Amino acid sequence: MNKFKSDNEKASPDKGTKNRLTLSQLSLSPQGKKSLGIAAIMGSVFLLLAFLSFLGSFKADFAIVQQIKHGYITSISDNLPSNWMGVTGAYLAYKFVYSWFGITAFIFPIALLFIGLQLSFDVKIPHKNKLVNSSLFLLFWLPLAISLLAKGKYDFIAGGYGVNGMLWLKQLMGAPGLVLILASSLLIFLLLVLKIDLLNKLSQPKDQVAGETVSAPIASPSTVKPTPERESPVEKMAPIHDRTYDFAVSHGQGTNANENDYIDEDNLESPQGTDFEIEDLRDRKDLEMELSERPKEEHFDTLVHADGDYDPTLDLSNYHYPGLDLLKEYTQKEPTISKSDLEERKNLIVDTLGHYKIEISQVKATIGPTVTLFEIVPAKGVRISKIKNLEDDIALSLAALGIRIIAPIPGKGTVGIEVPNVKPEIVSMHDVISSAKFQTAEMELPIAFGRTISNEVFVTDLTKMPHLLMAGATGQGKSVGLNVIIASILYKKHPAQVKFVMVDPKKVELSLYKIIERHFLAKLPDEEESIITDTSKVINTLNSLCIEMDHRYDMLKEAQVRTIKEYNQKFLQRRLSPQKGHKFMPYIVLIIDELADLMMTAGKEVEMPIARLAQLARAIGIHLVVATQRPSVNIITGIIKANFPARLAFRVTSKVDSRTILDTGGADQLIGRGDMLFTTGGDLLRIQCAFLDTPEVDAVCAFIGEQRGYPTAFLLPEAPNEGGGTDLNGDMDEGELDPLFEDAARCVVQNQVGSTSLLQRRLKLGYNRAGRLMDQLERTGVVGAHEGSKAREVLIPDEYALEQFLTNLRNKK
């Protein structure tokens, strides 16, 4: 499993963090939060008493406040204020109530009280966003409205802001214009913040409004945006080794710059780039370098999960999502590529191209976790094909394996040259799971694969693919990639929202997930093992999924919706009755770790249900992730390939295998250890897959498995036993015929050869089923008895006689 980890790379406990500015995300200890909360409560009580006292004592304290404003603090010792909170309370109340916001200033102590309760006692404030937005609106709208309606009589209640603001707006657009602004802003506030469509209600007939019963919609947990109070401190990581360099050439006369003229250590350490101009184009080493920062990313210390007012997770309401502490951090101690190596590689590339009279006007270098991308802009008149043909020469000059040339880069006017780093960086699962891009992803089944060549976390939605075909040679990271896909979903979804069907012919790759059977796995009712390792039982499961798919489509038809998302939303809004068979539908993800073994032993019996699921199952929430280490055409057939638009290729051994999985070359030039190419039918994207080691998978599964689960695994419908099509090892009853019996009879009669291997080849069957078909042909009189190594004798001479025979056989039934 440890395919990515370098012997010289170790995890570092040091971690630079930068706290966000929101109060709920301050990185404080529990004691610190409680202390801050108590201080906020005390402050709110102080302000509240000061404001209340000011309502009755502001005239008596007015002179004292004026003295404070002019700096005469010592002169008030003989004239004590009437305010309960003394001089400080009198002055604060004067500023907040009299000078600024009037009566709406009471919003401040109330808000401070809520903050203190949340920090000290972890009090959950319902509808927090609406309260904040409403308070801000009323703080600025209400003083203006009071001042307009009071007409100068109650200026104390409106405050200085309300009076002065009203007078200014009244002079600017008149009293009617001010009324229109206040009325329209109130309607917009009710519509956008409180979701109250006042105009729509006024336009409805009275009998309709009185007679209707409208149930408030309840949001699906998978679509609810994370609320601010559930966020947590983030880490903004910008390691020095992730920089983008620009090289540019200028034309002119003069002396050549030395090596230190176009890059220095201080500028490399700073986040700013450095531009230099050189004089002589013929000295290609004098290409200046521009440095830009790694993309800034936020990271969460705790995980964000969406929840709604009502969801299907109530059966396991105490379920806890796995934490980041279960994953290991890998911190790079030094840059993945040194400054001298970067300069040397740039010069070698430019020199090599120069030997073939290919002039370069600009070079830009982007350092990724595994490879460095040099984007070159050739001079005018240079043919791109000339650069593409120099792939081997550039690899020879750099003495590097896995050189890949992208000519041109899609969407850019540049040619890309990908050069592997000497010391590749480990992209940890902790790093991508904690990223804000994954935590705030509004996706149904988000998957955090790893980092792109520009060091950005790559997150995609499995439901948009909608099926994924993976391939790669042994030891290149395919199994780790499967673990990354599964772990991403486990970290983001509740057991009620998604189920896995796992097929593991190798018996050891997915066995760690057995412990979460009662939480996330699905199986047939009569099966003891939830992870399928016996090839003979795979067809039963695939046929069962086809039955589940058909049943779900019937439910969608009855509910008059088109997708599982619309169906579940309608169900959660109580618009579908469980008494009519409706229920919440979880997503089902079918994981097949080794397709080659299934195709060798079962052939067409596996290919057809996989193709049917891939064609139809997207809309009803069944998604396939199929992996193989043999991406040959007899394994990844045309039927399978046509229905898997999303492809993921790790390193393969030949260009033919790369074209089989990706329809283009490139996978044979990867460097292994999680280096992969991903496409959804368009451009190829190079990604360094996140590293998830076996102990981390074990820890995540153990954390989930120790919690209370459902009584059993999610049960799939039973599949009918169709002539051995669902049980490769079972015997058929006398009188039952395989669905392929007539096809097998025509095959042997047309060829006049009674051979089991012929049936395997022509009908794409496994040996067991082909043997049973031959036994049925013998019992019904189509072929003769077994004669050792010789083929059986065919007893029916031609196809016409066979059709008569088959007709009589049907009539007997």
Side-chain angles (χ1 to χ4, degrees):
M1 294 290 293
N2 194 345
K3 298 180 176 66
F4 303 159
K5 185 175 178 182
S6 174
D7 294 336
N8 297 326
E9 294 165 330
K10 298 181 180 179
S12 173
D14 298 331
K15 177 177 65 177
T17 60
K18 183 182 290 185
N19 295 333
R20 294 181 65 181
L21 299 179
T22 56
L23 182 62
S24 63
Q25 296 173 351
L26 288 175
S27 181
L28 297 175
S29 63
Q31 294 81 3
K33 287 185 177 180
K34 287 187 178 181
S35 301
L36 187 60
I38 292 173
I41 294 174
M42 295 299 102
S44 69
V45 174
F46 183 93
L47 287 178
L48 186 61
L49 294 176
F51 291 177
L52 289 173
S53 177
F54 187 75
L55 296 179
S57 64
F58 72 95
K59 292 183 179 180
D61 294 341
F62 190 80
I64 298 176
V65 172
Q66 293 301 319
Q67 293 178 17
I68 297 175
K69 287 178 61 178
H70 293 88
Y72 303 119
I73 302 178
T74 57
S75 63
I76 64 174
S77 58
D78 297 332
N79 188 14
L80 296 177
S82 300
N83 194 288
W84 298 340
M85 298 290 104
V87 176
T88 304
Y91 184 74
L92 289 177
Y94 170 81
K95 297 299 290 184
F96 276 89
V97 180
Y98 186 84
S99 299
W100 293 341
F101 299 107
I103 199 70
T104 57
F106 281 87
I107 290 176
F108 288 99
I110 295 175
L112 199 58
L113 178 63
F114 283 153
I115 293 174
L117 291 175
Q118 183 177 359
L119 289 176
S120 297
F121 307 105
D122 198 21
V123 175
K124 301 300 180 183
I125 303 172
H127 308 294
K128 181 178 177 181
N129 289 338
K130 287 186 178 181
L131 289 175
V132 172
N133 295 331
S134 301
S135 300
L136 291 175
F137 175 79
L138 293 176
L139 189 65
F140 293 97
W141 184 89
L142 197 56
L144 295 174
I146 293 175
S147 181
L148 179 64
L149 296 176
K151 298 181 180 180
K153 295 181 181 179
Y154 303 101
D155 291 346
F156 173 81
I157 299 178
Y161 157 74
V163 175
N164 296 328
M166 185 274 295
L167 293 176
W168 180 77
L169 290 174
K170 197 172 182 180
Q171 291 176 356
L172 188 66
M173 58 190 64
L178 178 57
V179 172
L180 287 176
I181 288 180
L182 293 176
S184 60
S185 60
L186 178 61
L187 291 175
I188 293 174
F189 165 74
L190 294 174
L191 180 62
L192 296 182
V193 178
L194 300 184
K195 310 298 183 185
I196 299 176
D197 192 349
L198 199 59
L199 296 177
N200 186 33
K201 290 187 175 182
L202 293 175
S203 62
Q204 289 181 350
K206 292 184 178 180
D207 54 349
Q208 180 181 352
V209 174
E212 284 186 349
T213 300
V214 181
S215 60
I218 300 174
S220 170
S222 61
T223 60
V224 176
K225 295 183 179 180
T227 55
E229 62 268 22
R230 301 201 53 168
E231 296 179 355
S232 53
V234 297
E235 304 170 7
K236 295 188 176 180
M237 304 174 61
I240 184 175
H241 58 273
D242 178 34
R243 303 292 169 84
T244 301
Y245 302 85
D246 278 349
F247 308 85
V249 176
S250 62
H251 304 274
Q253 303 291 332
T255 60
N256 293 335
N258 58 33
E259 184 175 357
N260 294 326
D261 287 335
Y262 50 83
I263 182 170
D264 59 44
E265 295 183 4
D266 294 335
N267 285 329
L268 262 179
E269 296 297 321
S270 69
Q272 300 296 328
T274 307
D275 291 335
F276 300 89
E277 292 188 356
I278 63 172
E279 302 293 337
D280 193 355
L281 177 61
R282 290 171 296 177
D283 190 353
R284 300 180 186 88
K285 295 183 179 180
D286 294 339
L287 288 173
E288 69 178 33
M289 183 179 302
E290 180 178 324
L291 178 62
S292 62
E293 281 192 350
R294 175 184 194 150
K296 299 289 185 181
E297 291 181 348
E298 298 178 339
H299 287 267
F300 289 84
D301 288 335
T302 58
L303 304 181
V304 178
H305 301 286
D307 52 5
D309 294 335
Y310 174 78
D311 57 46
T313 65
L314 296 178
D315 289 338
L316 297 181
S317 58
N318 294 325
Y319 174 79
H320 296 286
Y321 292 86
L324 291 174
D325 58 320
L326 302 175
L327 303 176
K328 187 176 181 180
E329 292 187 74
Y330 297 86
T331 302
Q332 203 75 19
K333 293 185 178 180
E334 58 183 9
T336 58
I337 183 171
S338 65
K339 295 165 287 188
S340 59
D341 288 342
L342 184 66
E343 285 296 319
E344 181 182 359
R345 291 188 175 192
K346 178 262 296 182
N347 295 332
L348 288 174
I349 291 175
V350 176
D351 288 342
T352 303
L353 296 176
H355 293 159
Y356 295 92
K357 299 181 180 180
I358 298 176
E359 297 296 336
I360 305 301
S361 61
Q362 184 179 354
V363 178
K364 178 182 178 182
T366 302
I367 302 177
T370 305
V371 297
T372 299
L373 173 65
F374 292 90
E375 295 184 51
I376 62 175
V377 179
K380 293 183 178 180
V382 176
R383 298 181 62 181
I384 300 299
S385 59
K386 291 181 63 178
I387 302 177
K388 180 67 175 176
N389 294 333
L390 296 177
E391 190 171 72
D392 294 336
D393 298 274
I394 296 175
L396 179 63
S397 64
L398 295 176
L401 298 175
I403 299 292
R404 180 170 170 260
I405 293 182
I406 311 170
I409 296 178
K412 297 183 179 180
T414 59
V415 176
I417 301 176
E418 295 176 347
V419 182
N421 297 335
V422 177
K423 295 181 179 180
E425 176 187 358
I426 294 180
V427 178
S428 67
M429 194 65 184
H430 182 285
D431 182 41
V432 296
I433 289 292
S434 64
S435 66
K437 192 170 185 179
F438 177 76
Q439 288 299 308
T440 59
E442 297 180 12
M443 302 177 181
E444 297 299 313
L445 295 175
I447 298 174
F449 274 121
R451 289 189 175 272
T452 64
I453 197 172
S454 59
N455 264 305
E456 296 179 355
V457 173
F458 180 74
V459 181
T460 186
D461 192 351
L462 179 60
T463 62
K464 303 297 182 184
M465 295 184 190
H467 311 291
L468 178 62
L469 185 60
M470 301 174 59
T474 302
Q476 303 305 317
K478 186 174 73 282
S479 296
V480 174
L482 283 176
N483 288 331
V484 166
I485 293 174
I486 298 171
S488 297
I489 298 176
L490 293 181
Y491 264 87
K492 201 66 177 175
K493 291 298 175 182
H494 189 275
Q497 297 170 332
V498 63
K499 302 295 179 182
F500 291 96
V501 176
M502 297 186 178
V503 178
D504 182 17
K506 291 189 284 188
K507 302 183 179 181
V508 294
E509 296 294 345
L510 301 177
S511 58
L512 292 175
Y513 298 101
K514 182 179 179 181
I515 194 174
I516 63 172
E517 173 182 332
R518 294 186 298 111
H519 299 82
F520 282 100
L521 300 189
K523 66 176 183 179
L524 292 174
D526 56 346
E527 294 293 337
E528 295 182 0
E529 298 290 336
S530 54
I531 298 177
I532 305 169
T533 58
D534 188 353
T535 306
S536 63
K537 298 179 180 179
V538 175
I539 303 173
N540 264 345
T541 304
L542 294 176
N543 290 335
S544 175
L545 286 174
C546 290
I547 296 173
E548 176 71 13
M549 176 184 69
D550 294 335
H551 172 70
R552 289 191 173 196
Y553 268 116
D554 292 338
M555 293 294 99
L556 262 62
K557 178 181 177 181
E558 186 176 339
Q560 297 182 349
V561 294
R562 298 177 59 187
T563 65
I564 184 176
K565 186 176 180 180
E566 296 174 1
Y567 177 90
N568 284 338
Q569 185 69 26
K570 206 169 183 179
F571 180 81
L572 294 176
Q573 293 173 355
R574 300 182 179 89
R575 296 163 60 188
L576 299 175
S577 174
Q579 297 179 353
K580 296 183 179 180
H582 293 288
K583 60 182 179 180
F584 181 84
M585 296 182 184
Y587 285 94
I588 298 178
V589 181
L590 172 61
I591 306 287
I592 299 180
D593 185 34
E594 186 49 70
L595 179 63
D597 187 65
L598 299 181
M599 295 296 291
M600 290 175 60
T601 56
K604 192 174 182 180
E605 296 172 278
V606 169
E607 180 184 7
M608 297 313 295
I610 288 179
R612 187 163 183 260
L613 288 171
Q615 289 170 348
L616 301 174
R618 170 183 182 176
I620 45 82
I622 299 179
H623 302 278
L624 281 64
V625 178
V626 179
T628 181
Q629 63 182 6
R630 289 181 51 197
S632 54
V633 292
N634 61 327
I635 301 300
I636 304 177
T637 63
I639 295 177
I640 292 179
K641 193 174 178 180
N643 294 288
F644 283 79
R647 319 273 179 79
L648 194 156
F650 293 90
R651 186 170 183 266
V652 295
T653 55
S654 66
K655 291 184 180 294
V656 175
D657 290 345
S658 177
R659 293 191 184 99
T660 301
I661 180 66
L662 296 175
D663 293 327
T664 185
D668 56 309
Q669 297 170 315
L670 300 176
I671 61 175
R673 298 180 65 204
D675 190 17
M676 65 185 190
L677 293 174
F678 176 76
T679 179
T680 55
D683 302 330
L684 290 178
L685 183 63
R686 192 166 187 174
I687 304 171
Q688 176 60 41
C689 183
F691 176 63
L692 185 63
D693 205 355
T694 303
E696 298 174 79
V697 178
D698 194 19
V700 173
C701 293
F703 177 84
I704 297 175
E706 291 172 355
Q707 302 183 54
R708 186 177 69 88
Y710 296 103
T712 63
F714 183 82
L715 298 181
L716 299 172
E718 293 189 14
N721 192 338
E722 298 181 355
T726 61
D727 186 0
L728 293 178
N729 294 326
D731 295 329
M732 293 181 56
D733 295 335
E734 191 72 28
E736 289 186 0
L737 294 179
D738 193 288
L740 295 178
F741 173 81
E742 294 188 3
D743 292 338
R746 293 187 182 96
C747 180
V748 297
V749 171
Q750 288 173 359
N751 293 276
Q752 288 295 304
V753 176
S755 169
T756 302
S757 60
L758 175 67
L759 297 181
Q760 286 182 268
R761 293 193 307 272
R762 295 295 178 86
L763 301 182
K764 297 181 180 180
L765 301 177
Y767 177 80
N768 293 335
R769 189 174 183 184
R772 285 198 303 274
L773 277 169
M774 190 58 66
D775 292 339
Q776 293 177 25
L777 293 173
E778 178 186 355
R779 289 200 302 269
T780 54
V782 178
V783 298
H786 179 63
E787 298 180 9
S789 60
K790 295 175 58 178
R792 296 172 185 256
E793 179 186 1
V794 180
L795 304 179
I796 298 179
D798 52 41
E799 294 183 47
Y800 177 75
L802 175 63
E803 292 302 326
Q804 289 184 327
F805 171 81
L806 294 177
T807 301
N808 295 333
L809 192 62
R810 296 189 200 104
N811 294 334
K812 290 181 181 179
K813 294 182 181 180

